[in-house]
Amino acid sequence: MIDVAQREGWANACQLYEHLHAGGALAALPPGSVRLNRDEVAHAEAVLGYARFYGTSVSYRSSSTLLLGSATFVAAGLAANAMANSSARRRAEASAAAQWRDHAHVRTILTNQRLLCDYRGQWLSFWHQGVVEFQGDMGQWLFVLRYEVGDPIMLHGPAAPWFAVSAAHLVYGQQGLRLPALAAIAWSVSEAAAHRRRAISGEIAPDSGSDGPRALPAP
């Protein structure tokens, strides 16, 4: 179900997309407590869902039981031991496999040079210059950045579409607005513009208010 925060986040992302598409620029935030580089400008700050994608090493202990008794009893015991060890190995392999880890909600600052994420009391920098791929699912309010060096990062939540539009524009320039990850937002903006044109031409009665609601992805 789409809640109020998601609706506001979507509407803000659509408005920003329209602004940037028309040649506008990102506004700068006033100076804050976080010290930035001399030529670095902050554009937004919000709390976002956060995760990193990577594998790890997991150890497990295999069991070995001394079995005494008949051949049938010993064989059954060995089979049970083997099954237990195989299950432990599979659990360890599943835990070690590459997957989304470090899930948290983090204070996130977007600047003209990087994303700054306050993860467990440590500021982590994800530099725009190192991005090699931008992925996203705006219908799920999330986007993923993959880097030449380092593990991918996923950011999600009501503010994620706005951050996605901003980050795409900062990383790729005007071309970033045409990324497949932003297709749902581009469609919403296009539909809203067409709605306004039809209202002006008299094809439909204009909505109450100014521009009317932006189309949202299906819940």
Side-chain angles (χ1 to χ4, degrees), residues 35-89:
R35 187 170 66 89
L36 303 176
N37 294 328
R38 182 172 298 177
D39 56 347
E40 190 172 13
V41 178
H43 295 296
E45 180 176 334
V47 174
L48 292 171
Y50 163 99
R52 304 289 301 283
F53 190 82
Y54 61 91
T56 188
S57 298
V58 175
S59 60
Y60 72 96
R61 180 177 297 177
S62 60
S63 60
S64 179
T65 305
L66 177 63
L67 299 169
L68 300 174
S70 67
T72 302
F73 173 80
V74 171
L78 290 174
N81 248 358
M83 289 177 63
N85 288 336
S86 177
S87 178
R89 183 175 65 253

